[in-house]
Amino acid sequence: MKKGEKQDYIAILDFGSQYTQLIARRVREAKVYSEIFPYYIEPSKLLENPPKGIILSGGPASVYADQAPICDTDIFQLNIPILGICYGAQLIAQTFGGKVSKASQAEYGRANIILNNDRDIFYGFPTTTTCWMSHQDLIENIPPDFKVIARSESTKAAAIVNEGRKIYGLQFHPEVTHTTLGKKVFENFLYKICNCQQNWNVYSYINQSINDIRNKVKKDRVVAGVSGGIDSLVAAILTNQAIGNQLYCIFINNGLLRKGEVEEVQKVFKDNFDINLIYIDASERFLEKLKDINDPERKRKILGEEFIRVFEEKAKSIGKVKYLLQGTLYPDVIESISQKGPSSTIKSHHNVGGLPKKMRLEVLEPLKYLFKDEVRKIAKKLRLPEEIIWRQPFPGPGLAIRIIGPVEKAKLNILREADEIIKQEIIDAGLYKKVWQSFGILLPVKSVGVMGDSRTYEFALVLRIVTSEDGMTADWAKIPYAVLEKISNRIINEVKGINRVVFDISSKPPATIEWE
């Protein structure tokens, strides 16, 4: 369903906001397809498949700065409804002759706004409502032909509109849950202003995806990297339904998998799928390449390079293979690609940024426009086993990026044992489906401890447990003390090499979920 073909969709221009992905999710939750584009996209490119509406995201820059990201002003002449959020609203104001300036005091957090009307984007709203502010600039002078439709105690233009052009600007963020009626803001924009049809759902994606794969691949062969995770499995099943035995699934043991994972993945395929699985043990090869490597980005690049080389070698024995299938998701694409201007690379994903520039295989990514929860819905429709559907996300580089510093066999064994205990206890506490991820990070730090009458000097392990909808943002999970205590006691008593466990209480942002 690339670029919203054959259905209504909303184009989101990304100016570097940490919330851009949330905007895309909120639109899809309203059953309208959305797709994110760089802010500098040419209007002619958009018109190849015209969206029903355009949303301008927030961003960290100031619109009056010399290097501020500015979209092509012809975007505003397309006669397509536009909604600007925070930076997007300020850009609208400046473009149409208003004035944006630095606020005397930045405004962050919840704020009450007073509405001047209950029409259009505020249809069905009360006179006052709570929203989330996050800005250091404000619209000082309203542009001609615009009017203020909401204000707050600190912001005289919390929302503006040009009704004739159907252009709206919101100083607040309707996409975050802290904005009480944020969902309704999007629904009003989509349904009342853009006249969108509610025709997006992940189930229609199944047939569309199968047809797209069949039309693209034709009679060529495809190799797929599978790991037992839901993303690669759903991608493989959809591809298998499209091209049958032209698909060859390859499971590479890179030596960085969790305890029992090699046996578990092979059993999952044997018990549930009529798809040939080729198993390759390349653990020694991968570990040798990682020897003495400290930098996390180098780890990812090395693993991505070696991953492709193993695939290309195996593909020769299969015959002429044209495509490499990957279970890349939308957040992987968004986080990995450093766009011109405001966006910066957070980290390379194994499925995206870790691939070498020169490779013989073309990449096939049928899930690259989906979020994790959407993939889970497809998995349920495809009747995948529950243990696969709810399996927690596991990074492509595996345990290599959960060992800070060089990767060694001894450290891998220590981390595997600790990781298994974390998994067992989270399952036993009934929390496995309630959290997004729960795992350990082995630090290159040793500390003094006492066991019995003996002094110990061993590694510290970080316990990382987060809640999230899609991995784009996350909060540290408020795990009961009794569960944390049991996990810590078991790891320290049962895993030789660890004598200290600490709990990470950082949220994303500003931290990331993984440490590397």
Side-chain angles (χ1 to χ4, degrees):
M1 213 159 284
K2 187 177 179 181
K3 296 184 180 178
E5 291 176 350
K6 299 179 182 178
Q7 64 176 352
D8 292 350
Y9 86 106
I10 297 294
I12 301 165
L13 305 196
D14 181 19
F15 290 88
S17 171
Q18 62 179 316
Y19 299 136
T20 300
Q21 297 77 28
L22 284 179
I23 298 171
R25 287 187 54 79
R26 297 298 174 251
V27 174
R28 292 192 189 185
E29 286 168 1
K31 298 182 180 178
V32 177
Y33 185 67
S34 62
E35 190 167 328
I36 297 170
F37 297 90
Y39 72 89
Y40 51 82
I41 187 171
E42 297 176 3
S44 59
K45 190 72 174 175
L46 279 180
L47 289 178
E48 289 176 7
N49 182 29
K52 295 285 284 187
I54 297 171
I55 298 178
L56 311 180
S57 83
S62 294
V63 295
Y64 49 77
D66 290 339
Q67 301 299 318
I70 306 294
C71 63
D72 191 319
T73 55
D74 285 347
I75 292 286
F76 299 105
Q77 309 303 323
L78 298 179
N79 198 29
I80 295 173
I82 293 175
L83 170 62
I85 297 173
C86 199
Y87 179 92
Q90 295 161 9
L91 179 60
I92 288 170
Q94 179 170 277
T95 300
F96 285 91
K99 182 181 179 181
V100 177
S101 58
K102 191 173 185 64
S104 58
Q105 184 175 348
E107 189 174 20
Y108 298 104
R110 288 184 175 85
N112 290 322
I113 61 170
I114 303 167
L115 308 182
N116 293 359
N117 68 40
D118 59 356
R119 302 192 310 274
D120 301 328
I121 205 155
F122 292 137
Y123 176 79
F125 274 58
T127 304
T128 62
T129 186
T130 302
C131 66
W132 184 261
M133 294 286 191
S134 181
H135 63 96
Q136 58 184 4
D137 297 326
L138 51 76
I139 300 171
E140 186 174 331
N141 294 333
I142 311 305
D145 300 323
F146 279 76
K147 64 180 180 180
V148 173
I149 54 174
R151 67 187 189 279
S152 72
E153 186 176 318
S154 304
T155 307
K156 68 179 182 181
I160 61 174
V161 64
N162 181 316
E163 292 179 337
R165 290 175 175 267
K166 293 186 177 180
I167 297 177
Y168 295 79
L170 306 179
Q171 185 60 72
F172 60 91
H173 288 272
E175 68 272 26
V176 301
T177 55
H178 308 304
T179 297
T180 308
L181 293 173
K183 180 181 177 182
K184 191 166 181 59
V185 168
F186 285 109
E187 290 175 348
N188 285 342
F189 180 68
L190 298 173
Y191 308 151
K192 293 188 172 297
I193 298 164
C194 300
N195 295 315
C196 289
Q197 300 296 311
Q198 299 178 51
N199 55 10
W200 161 251
N201 67 75
V202 294
Y203 306 124
S204 63
Y205 189 92
I206 296 175
N207 290 333
Q208 182 69 42
S209 180
I210 290 171
N211 289 332
D212 288 347
I213 294 168
R214 186 179 292 129
N215 292 334
K216 182 173 183 177
V217 173
K218 296 182 173 64
K219 294 184 179 181
D220 289 310
R221 293 188 180 96
V222 178
V223 290
V226 295
S227 61
I230 186 173
D231 306 334
S232 60
L233 278 177
V234 168
I237 293 169
L238 291 176
T239 304
N240 179 252
Q241 291 186 11
I243 61 172
N245 60 12
Q246 293 168 237
L247 172 68
Y248 297 82
C249 288
I250 300 176
F251 173 38
I252 299 174
N253 178 3
N254 58 10
L256 306 168
L257 302 173
R258 291 167 288 193
K259 185 175 182 179
E261 204 156 21
V262 170
E263 297 77 17
E264 181 186 342
V265 170
Q266 293 181 82
K267 186 176 187 301
V268 163
F269 265 82
K270 182 180 178 182
D271 294 349
N272 297 282
F273 310 113
D274 186 20
I275 302 175
N276 288 326
L277 179 68
I278 301 168
Y279 171 67
I280 300 173
D281 186 352
S283 54
E284 295 295 332
R285 176 173 172 172
F286 277 86
L287 293 180
E288 181 61 30
K289 290 285 184 179
L290 288 173
K291 190 175 180 180
D292 300 325
I293 302 298
N294 277 285
D295 182 72
E297 280 298 291
R298 281 198 66 199
K299 288 181 185 179
R300 291 174 183 272
K301 297 293 185 184
I302 288 170
L303 290 168
E305 173 82 27
E306 202 62 20
F307 179 80
I308 292 301
R309 299 306 165 224
V310 172
F311 262 83
E312 289 181 338
E313 290 168 14
K314 188 60 185 178
K316 289 179 181 178
S317 67
I318 294 172
K320 187 178 180 181
V321 175
K322 185 174 182 179
Y323 295 99
L324 167 67
L325 175 69
Q326 290 203 293
T328 311
L329 300 189
Y330 211 11
D332 300 340
V333 176
I334 295 163
E335 280 199 349
S336 294
I337 298 175
S338 181
Q339 299 173 343
K340 289 192 300 182
S343 300
S344 60
T345 300
I346 298 170
K347 61 180 182 292
S348 297
H349 278 264
H350 172 62
N351 282 354
V352 184
L355 297 181
K357 292 182 180 178
K358 292 183 179 180
M359 50 184 278
R360 197 169 53 81
L361 302 171
E362 291 184 34
V363 177
L364 188 66
E365 299 169 307
L367 309 181
K368 70 182 294 183
Y369 293 104
L370 297 181
F371 291 96
K372 176 69 79 173
D373 63 310
E374 294 173 330
V375 175
R376 282 194 168 125
K377 289 177 182 176
I378 290 177
K380 288 181 180 179
K381 188 72 173 178
L382 295 173
R383 298 182 180 178
L384 266 66
E386 281 286 308
E387 63 268 22
I388 294 175
I389 292 174
W390 290 103
R391 191 179 188 196
Q392 292 181 0
F394 187 59
L399 299 180
I401 58 168
R402 292 180 179 175
I403 293 175
I404 310 302
V407 178
E408 301 164 5
K409 274 189 177 180
K411 290 182 179 178
L412 282 166
N413 290 333
I414 290 170
L415 184 54
R416 280 195 188 97
E417 294 302 322
D419 188 78
E420 183 65 18
I421 289 172
I422 295 167
K423 178 183 174 182
Q424 289 172 3
E425 293 304 325
I426 291 296
I427 289 174
D428 288 350
L431 297 172
Y432 192 78
K433 291 183 181 181
K434 296 179 181 179
V435 301
W436 177 258
Q437 280 174 284
S438 50
F439 57 91
I441 301 107
L442 193 65
L443 298 182
V445 173
K446 289 188 174 183
S447 64
V448 174
V450 178
M451 289 189 178
D453 295 322
S454 302
R455 174 186 182 274
T456 63
Y457 190 63
E458 295 177 332
F459 290 111
L461 180 112
V462 175
L463 181 60
R464 183 68 160 145
I465 309 176
V466 298
T467 58
S468 178
E469 288 185 351
D470 52 30
M472 298 306 302
T473 60
D475 287 324
W476 61 278
K478 282 60 176 179
I479 303 298
Y481 290 157
V483 177
L484 293 177
E485 182 180 30
K486 191 170 183 183
I487 291 172
S488 176
N489 286 343
R490 283 197 60 192
I491 289 173
I492 291 171
N493 285 302
E494 298 176 30
V495 181
K496 185 173 176 57
I498 296 174
N499 69 355
R500 190 177 298 271
V501 175
V502 298
F503 188 40
D504 183 347
I505 58 170
S506 309
S507 294
K508 176 185 179 180
T512 54
I513 296 176
E514 301 286 349
W515 274 43
E516 289 197 337

